Structure formats: C-alpha cells, structure tokens
Amino acid sequence: MMPDFPHRHLIGIEGLSPGEINFLLDEAEQWIAFNRSVRKLDDRLAGLTQVNAFFENSTRTLLSFEVAGKRLGAQVVNMHVAQSSVQKGETLLDTALTINAMRPDVFVMRHAAAGAAREVASVMDCPVINGGDGWGEHPTQALLDALTIRRRKGRIEGLKIAICGDIRHSRVARSNLLALRALGGDVRVVGPAALLPSTAELGGAPSFTDFDEGIAGADVVMMLRIQRERMEESLAERLDDYHALYGLTRARLAQAAPDAIVMHPGPINRGVEIASDVADDPERSAILEQVELGVAVRMACLDVLTRERRS
C-alpha cells in the first residue's frame, strides 16, 4: 500500500491521521472534473471485481459506489440481499466467506450492526470499505462532507460547524465528528437531550439543546434526519413537535453566519428536520453537491485501496 495511506481497509475515520484524511480528499479532487465530462471511463480497475453487499436500504451510497466502480472500469456486482441465503438464516460471516471464495478484489458493505464491517474484514482477502454499520461509522460520507466544506469554504480549520438532529443514532455524525475535528473544525452538536450521545462519546465537542444557540454564527449547518428505525417506540412518539423546535427554516438559518452553507447526508424528511425552501436554496444548500462529490470520493477510495493488488 502507498505510504500516504497504509491501511488495507476503510472501516472508519477512527484511526486515520489528518494527513491520511487529507490524502483521500486530495485524491478525490482529480475525479470531480472527470465526472463532469461527457465521457467518463478510466480503465485502472479493469479486470477487477467489486462486490457491493448492502444489508440495509440505500440510494446515494450504493448507487454512487456502483457508478464509481464502473467509471473506473471495474466489474461491479451488487448482491441482492433480499434474494440471498441471508433470508434462510445464513450468518454474516458465512456470507462473507462465501463471497471471499469467489475472489473479489474489493468488497463494499452496509449492515445494521455496528462493527459488522470490521468483523467481515477479518475474514476477507480483499480490501473492505464500510458503507455504514449501524450506529458505528460511515467513513466515505464524512470524507465527502469534508470535501464539500473544503471546496465551498476553502478550508475546514477554524470553521464553526454545527451538526444538528439525531446525533445519538447517527453513524454520519460520529464519522463527521472524527474527521472534521481532526482537520481543525470547531464542531458542535445540536439536538434534543434524548437524541444526544454521552459526553464521553462526543470526545469533548460541545453540545446544545437550544437550536438557535447551537447554530449561532455557524459557518456550516449540517442537518440529520430522525432515525426512527433505530430508536425505541416510546422515544419516537415524543418527537411529534420536532420541526417546531429543531427544524431548520429560513428564519432560523438567519442565526448562522450570513454565508453559512446547509448540508444534509440524505434522505431528507422535508418539513421535519429541514424546510424545502432551505434544502433547495441554490446559494446556501450544498446537498446535491454532497451527492456529486460522493462519487469522486468513492472513486478515490476504490482506487487507493486496490493499488497494491494492481502493482
């Protein structure tokens, strides 16, 4: 593996140095103009097999990994979990061993259990990329978010970044806290007390339960959806007034810096955590830019992690 990125897998942001994070961001930069051209074909992964196994639903992450692999020339296979032997009771490790026996060159996975990607990586002979594991991490989302901020603002260091919403259940929040703080961002979290993790989990990042106070003067306001599928029913029932207290409206955005940008990893719940006129604002919203840069970031990760196999 290249000395700039000595890791075999990409399981999380935890364990990456600021230099290694910046290396991946710099690698992604080259693919942005490439992806905006009419013809988008590079053959560096020609002859390599990429398997995407998503045990949870996905639009942006799964599709962008498929697009990324195909633009790099890989043979991309999407495992259809609903039609797989998982439905017959096959364990995750048995599924991984079965796929490994088919000799893929890179394996991208998403799973509902935190730690699943690391467990699978322990038995795979090829690089594993974590596309999201339960409440754990979502490293490529944090990388694309960092790249979006860096391109919009010219830097990350010293920026005031507010991550707002369901922090407790969000792998996106965890990976972003690690990545953006490593790159010098002044990161805080904002949300109802019931949706905030423990102080220890925040690693010293300040937390706010008052939305207006939390986003005051922020250069970046990153909204997250309520993950009702990961919370107790009793808690979900207490969030009916969520938009009134924590929804980002144009009036609320006025509390942030005048040139603050708005981000959201998707899927968006319009009228819940964010108003449509804010999400669709062509000047302030970077939401679709996040999607675009996600392809570039995932191309960079696929390229970097397979270089040793291609050498």
Side-chain angles (χ1 to χ4, degrees):
M1 189 65 64
M2 294 187 62
D4 298 287
F5 197 80
H7 305 280
R8 184 179 174 215
H9 308 290
L10 182 60
I11 305 301
I13 298 298
E14 187 175 18
L16 301 187
S17 69
E20 290 163 353
I21 296 170
N22 274 317
F23 172 73
L24 291 175
L25 300 185
D26 293 342
E27 287 290 308
E29 288 280 0
Q30 67 178 305
W31 297 113
I32 298 172
F34 174 90
N35 286 332
R36 292 174 178 175
S37 63
V38 176
R39 299 182 66 85
K40 309 173 185 67
L41 182 59
D42 185 281
D43 64 356
R44 68 187 62 196
L45 265 62
L48 272 63
T49 302
Q50 170 188 334
V51 175
N52 300 326
F54 278 52
F55 296 82
E56 286 188 313
N57 293 335
S58 173
T59 298
R60 280 150 289 272
T61 305
L62 175 57
L63 185 58
S64 63
F65 265 115
E66 181 175 5
V67 169
K70 288 181 175 178
R71 287 181 181 174
L72 291 171
Q75 302 163 354
V76 181
V77 179
N78 292 327
M79 174 181 164
H80 299 289
V81 174
Q83 286 82 46
S84 73
S85 292
V86 171
Q87 306 305 317
K88 301 177 182 178
E90 184 173 70
T91 67
L92 176 62
L93 280 184
D94 279 334
T95 298
L97 288 167
T98 298
I99 294 170
N100 189 61
M102 299 178 191
R103 303 199 177 277
D105 298 290
V106 62
F107 184 61
V108 184
M109 67 169 290
R110 169 173 288 189
H111 199 277
R118 189 172 302 280
E119 184 180 12
V120 165
S122 70
V123 301
M124 296 292 286
D125 294 325
C126 68
V128 173
I129 301 177
N130 182 8
D133 62 329
W135 297 10
E137 280 215 50
H138 195 347
T140 59
Q141 181 68 47
L143 292 170
L144 73 89
D145 289 341
L147 185 60
T148 302
I149 295 170
R150 194 174 79 170
R151 288 179 62 85
R152 276 289 189 111
K153 293 292 187 179
R155 73 188 198 284
I156 293 173
E157 186 173 6
L159 291 180
K160 186 180 290 186
I161 303 166
I163 305 177
C164 311
D166 186 358
I167 311 298
R168 178 182 167 196
H169 302 99
S170 176
R171 55 197 173 207
V172 172
R174 283 173 173 76
S175 288
N176 266 305
L177 275 165
L178 291 166
L180 297 175
R181 295 183 75 201
L183 298 177
D186 174 9
V187 186
R188 72 269 310 280
V189 299
V190 187
L195 297 183
L196 294 177
S198 67
T199 302
E201 288 182 89
L202 291 173
S207 62
F208 297 82
T209 56
D210 183 292
F211 189 87
D212 292 343
E213 182 184 2
I215 69 169
D219 301 293
V220 178
V221 180
M222 183 183 297
M223 303 304 298
L224 303 173
R225 71 181 179 89
I226 300 175
Q227 299 196 37
R228 296 180 185 273
E229 72 274 17
R230 301 191 195 279
M231 62 180 65
E232 308 85 6
E233 186 176 345
S234 59
L235 174 58
E237 290 173 351
R238 299 204 306 268
L239 298 173
D240 290 340
D241 59 348
Y242 185 85
H243 182 71
L245 295 174
Y246 294 97
L248 183 63
T249 62
R250 190 167 294 281
R252 277 219 166 99
L253 184 57
Q255 304 296 323
D259 60 346
I261 62 169
V262 175
M263 301 176 68
H264 196 304
I268 297 171
N269 290 314
R270 293 173 180 266
V272 180
E273 73 269 9
I274 189 168
S276 287
D277 62 339
V278 177
D280 299 333
D281 187 318
E283 298 298 324
R284 308 292 290 277
S285 175
I287 294 172
L288 292 180
E289 188 174 345
Q290 290 173 264
V291 177
E292 178 189 6
L293 298 186
V295 178
V297 161
R298 285 153 184 150
M299 291 176 76
C301 292
L302 291 168
D303 175 24
V304 168
L305 289 171
T306 57
R307 283 177 184 172
E308 187 177 65
R309 301 177 76 81
R310 297 172 358 233
S311 61

